[in-house]
Amino acid sequence: MGHEKSRLRCSVGVTAYNEEANIGPLLDALLDQHLREVEITEIIVVASGCTDNTVPIVQSYLEKDPRIKLLVQPRREGKTAAINLFLAHAREDICVLESGDTLPHEDAVEHLVRMFADPTVGMTGAHKVPVNTPDHLVGLFTHIRLRLEHQLCLEIPRLGEMIAFRKVFDRLPPDVAMDEAFVEALVIKRGMQVRYAPDAVVYNTGPTTVRDFIRQRRRNHAG
């Protein structure tokens, strides 16, 4: 055991605007991540201009786990401002950024962050799957994605819902519309690689499907 290599530490940031239906399940999913080579040292929720119960729900989680932190923006100032607030508070060199309307698979963070063991990797992006996709199709999509990965990566990979990156910058310019493409450009400019992580699955939960998904998860837990 003396030769066990140190784990890759990461800060997770969640940007949320009126996500009362999803934020609890999302935090549960982050706290329940199956981690081997990776360690989540903090989970920072940036709640922007929320008018629903998002903030009280996150506050109820602050007592459950000391890694959870809450940053509240009184006004909604856009995703870039929320990301910059997260970056200003994130302790680790590797940052994971996730949208508040998604749910990560139980080993999504492991698969996203373990790639940073390679020092040339500067950014990774998850495999986005709609919630209402049957499991057998998820396997098929993964297979197809792997085959398409080379072509995809020759173009700009769409790495929006859940990404991980090295903190090679302090903030994004306020007028950036496509934040993930900008992060990608900064990483490439530093001579590092952008990698797609097909095994890092993140479920994209629309407001219509999130309740069904939670219901299904509850049934699974009850079973």
Side-chain angles (χ1 to χ4, degrees):
M1 289 296 287
H3 294 292
E4 186 186 355
K5 60 180 182 180
S6 62
R7 301 210 288 177
L8 293 157
R9 294 156 63 95
C10 68
S11 298
V12 176
V14 176
T15 53
Y17 167 69
N18 287 357
E19 296 293 351
E20 62 180 17
N22 194 60
I23 196 70
L26 169 51
L27 289 174
D28 286 333
L30 287 171
L31 292 174
D32 293 341
Q33 287 290 296
H34 294 187
L35 301 170
R36 291 169 295 281
E37 297 169 36
V38 175
E39 182 186 349
I40 297 173
T41 63
E42 56 185 357
I43 299 165
I44 300 173
V45 180
V46 181
S48 305
C50 295
T51 54
D52 66 353
N53 286 315
T54 299
V55 168
I57 292 168
V58 177
Q59 283 169 335
S60 74
Y61 275 80
L62 299 179
E63 292 123 50
K64 292 187 189 180
D65 196 299
R67 291 176 299 166
I68 295 179
K69 295 163 186 171
L70 172 65
L71 302 173
V72 178
Q73 290 181 304
R75 292 196 323 279
R76 194 179 180 191
E77 297 172 41
K79 196 171 175 189
T80 304
I83 292 169
N84 282 338
L85 191 56
F86 162 61
L87 287 172
H89 288 81
R91 289 197 307 245
E92 304 300 344
D93 174 49
I94 300 168
C95 292
V96 176
L97 195 57
E98 181 166 10
S99 297
D101 60 349
T102 62
L103 289 171
H105 189 264
E106 58 197 14
D107 51 14
V109 173
E110 174 78 16
H111 286 305
L112 261 191
V113 175
R114 64 195 293 185
M115 290 180 156
F116 289 89
D118 178 343
T120 66
V121 170
M123 178 180 179
T124 59
H127 172 175
K128 184 171 64 183
V129 174
V131 155
N132 47 4
T133 308
D135 285 345
H136 65 277
L137 281 181
V138 173
L140 176 67
F141 286 155
T142 303
H143 178 72
I144 294 169
R145 285 270 181 138
L146 281 167
R147 287 176 33 204
L148 290 176
E149 186 187 342
H150 182 63
Q151 286 98 306
L152 274 175
C153 288
L154 293 177
E155 304 163 39
I156 286 186
R158 281 292 297 134
L159 305 178
E161 307 319 80
M162 189 175 187
I163 60 174
F165 53 90
R166 290 190 200 276
K167 212 160 72 163
V168 291
F169 52 92
D170 294 324
R171 56 186 291 110
L172 297 174
D175 53 349
V176 172
M178 284 248 307
D179 39 78
E180 65 281 355
F182 192 83
V183 171
E184 194 176 330
L186 288 175
V187 163
I188 290 169
K189 198 170 157 190
R190 296 289 176 107
M192 286 185 279
Q193 299 177 44
V194 175
R195 293 251 186 99
Y196 171 56
D199 295 335
V201 172
V202 61
Y203 297 102
N204 192 239
T205 61
T208 48
T209 51
V210 67
R211 287 173 189 82
D212 300 335
F213 187 70
I214 292 165
R215 226 173 278 135
Q216 175 202 338
R217 295 292 297 186
R218 285 208 179 115
R219 277 204 301 273
N220 293 351
H221 279 297

